[in-house]
Amino acid sequence: MNRKDDHISGARKQKPLNNDFDRIRFIHRSLPQTSKDKVDLKSRFSSFIIPYPLYINAMTGGSETAKSINKALATIADYFNLPLALGSASAAIKEDKWLESYQVVSKIHTGLTFANIGADKILADAEEAIHMINADLLQIHVNAPQEMIMPEGERDFTKWLDNIETIVKNVPVPVIVKEVGFGMNKSTVAKLKAIGVKTVDVSGSGGTNFALIENERRQKPYTTLNTWGLSTVESLLEANQIQDIEVLASGGIRHAMDIAKALTLGAKAVGMSGWFLRQLDQHPLKTVIENTEHLFDELKTIMTLLGVNTIDAMRDVQVLFDSELTHYCNQRNLT
Ligand SMILES: Cc1cc2nc3c(=O)[nH]c(=O)nc-3n(C[C@H](O)[C@H](O)[C@H](O)COP(=O)(O)O)c2cc1C
């Protein structure tokens, strides 16, 4: 089987158990002093204004299954004008025959499209990835644990930071550096900021688990790594320590309440991958569109109850942490 198809089928059957967003609560207020029709879900990051604080995060390209998923994702993205991140361009960089599995989206989706490559790639690969789909933005993924567990994966990470720096300084579009479900600590975010990265997607644990997916592809699994990583909540708290860098959140976003909590922890927008993949697996496209609509309606409802009219104002909302999360903050000196 093709590697991307292994990842798709692995991710489809995952049912994550722990999600740190459950360690956070909002404080109820009996007098919200706003009305639902005043709530505006518009958000902005990088140089873009987006109608909802949500983008479809990188998944597919590079197989026939990937092509049909990309078609469906493009239909959803176009319906709501959501940014759509495509999966790693590496398959199309290696073999032209896979180009169409990525380019298919531009026939359907007229909004923002993000290209995606790994941090092992060089500037010429980044330029090719952008060019092949005329991307508005480039995501560079950092996925060391996945590579180490992947039987055929990368083992040498000495050039990643230099590769990222060269790409960030030379490509004609904005860049996001993203994880793939293992999260980021404050020192990673500081290092990325120091080389000119303006936006990170912390993509923490709590959702799609690539340690598990790659371990299933190994004859002798590294089972102790199945719980490796920082959660999305921990990563957001870490990233908040670094000033003047834009933070996006992905990893285990399940519903509108998680989106609201991520915004409160400083995310400008959230990315969802696994949720869309499983929705498409379980429902016809029309229902997925209705369920996405419902997600936004519920987010508006939560914001109304919190008395908040804008996405920017969400970061001023106070939340309560449970004792484990409080303990994490204390140990890591997170203020
Ligand atoms: C099937 C699948 C394929 C993925 N492929 C990529 C990829 O090519 N590049 C990338 O940066 N992230 C990739 N991801 C990771 C997601 O972008 C995201 O960081 C991660 O799945 C956590 O989000 P989630 O819990 O909403 O799925 C993939 C995720 C899934 C489910």
Side-chain angles (χ1 to χ4, degrees):
M1 215 202 220
N2 166 306
R3 179 161 83 211
K4 187 53 87 176
D5 288 343
D6 283 352
H7 291 169
I8 293 168
S9 62
R12 270 180 178 150
K13 56 182 194 228
Q14 282 196 333
K15 287 197 180 62
L17 297 175
N18 296 322
N19 191 309
D20 268 2
F21 284 106
D22 294 333
R23 301 190 182 285
I24 300 177
R25 289 169 61 199
F26 285 115
I27 302 159
H28 169 63
R29 52 183 89 180
S30 305
L31 299 167
Q33 290 181 286
T34 189
S35 80
K36 195 173 171 189
D37 60 10
K38 284 205 179 116
V39 176
D40 180 0
L41 294 185
K42 227 187 296 98
S43 188
R44 64 189 75 218
F45 67 86
S46 200
S47 49
F48 309 117
I49 296 177
I50 53 174
Y52 305 96
L54 177 70
Y55 53 97
I56 301 178
N57 217 353
M59 280 190 280
T60 66
S63 77
E64 283 307 318
T65 310
K67 182 175 165 184
S68 69
I69 293 173
N70 276 346
K71 265 190 186 170
L73 293 174
T75 308
I76 301 164
D78 196 60
Y79 186 90
F80 294 101
N81 199 14
L82 302 177
L84 171 61
L86 295 188
S88 167
S90 64
I93 292 171
K94 272 190 217 127
E95 289 183 277
D96 279 356
K97 70 169 181 175
W98 295 127
L99 268 175
E100 177 61 15
S101 68
Y102 301 81
Q103 289 172 337
V104 67
V105 303
S106 54
K107 295 181 185 135
I108 304 165
H109 176 48
T110 50
L112 297 174
T113 307
F114 302 166
N116 182 290
I117 53 162
D120 58 319
K121 295 290 183 292
I122 59 169
L123 178 60
D125 299 323
E127 288 168 342
E128 190 178 342
I130 295 165
H131 182 69
M132 77 174 68
I133 54 161
N134 199 11
D136 300 287
L137 180 148
L138 176 70
Q139 291 183 324
I140 305 176
H141 65 257
V142 284
N143 63 337
Q146 180 185 9
E147 293 291 339
M148 288 300 288
I149 303 170
M150 188 189 297
E152 70 279 29
E154 188 74 55
R155 301 289 181 264
D156 176 0
F157 307 102
T158 50
K159 297 197 176 71
W160 278 18
L161 196 61
D162 289 345
N163 289 348
I164 296 170
E165 181 169 15
T166 308
I167 293 170
V168 168
K169 294 200 163 135
N170 290 286
V171 290
V173 293
V175 170
I176 293 174
V177 176
K178 74 179 284 287
E179 254 289 351
V180 301
F182 298 101
M184 284 185 195
N185 72 26
K186 54 189 171 185
S187 127
T188 303
V189 177
K191 280 182 193 164
L192 291 170
K193 182 186 161 187
I195 59 160
V197 174
K198 302 264 186 294
T199 314
V200 292
D201 172 349
V202 295
S203 204
S205 66
T208 303
N209 180 336
F210 269 101
L212 274 174
I213 293 174
E214 295 299 350
N215 264 330
E216 278 186 18
R217 301 178 64 240
R218 286 186 75 86
Q219 285 210 319
K220 279 190 177 296
Y222 297 136
T223 40
T224 56
L225 294 179
N226 281 342
T227 52
W228 188 270
L230 295 176
S231 71
T232 302
V233 168
E234 290 165 345
S235 303
L236 285 169
L237 295 168
E238 295 266 344
N240 279 343
Q241 304 294 301
I242 312 301
Q243 305 303 309
D244 301 324
I245 185 156
E246 264 180 348
V247 180
L248 305 176
S250 71
I253 305 286
R254 300 162 295 181
H255 41 53
M257 190 59 82
D258 289 347
I259 300 178
K261 289 173 181 174
L263 297 170
T264 305
L265 297 184
K268 292 268 191 176
V270 306
M272 291 167 88
S273 298
W275 186 83
F276 281 108
L277 187 70
R278 285 185 290 275
Q279 283 281 319
L280 287 172
D281 202 29
Q282 291 159 16
H283 306 289
L285 197 52
K286 183 173 166 288
T287 311
V288 182
I289 288 178
E290 283 165 11
N291 292 347
T292 310
E293 188 91 64
H294 180 68
L295 196 73
F296 298 136
D297 178 56
E298 194 163 346
L299 179 60
K300 262 194 176 182
T301 302
I302 295 166
M303 287 173 65
T304 310
L305 285 172
L306 292 170
V308 173
N309 292 338
T310 65
I311 298 301
D312 273 349
M314 281 296 279
R315 63 181 55 214
D316 300 326
V317 172
Q318 262 205 340
V319 283
L320 296 170
F321 292 171
D322 78 357
S323 53
E324 201 166 315
L325 200 52
T326 308
H327 187 59
Y328 180 89
C329 292
N330 290 341
Q331 273 204 349
R332 293 286 296 155
N333 290 322
L334 306 179
T335 47

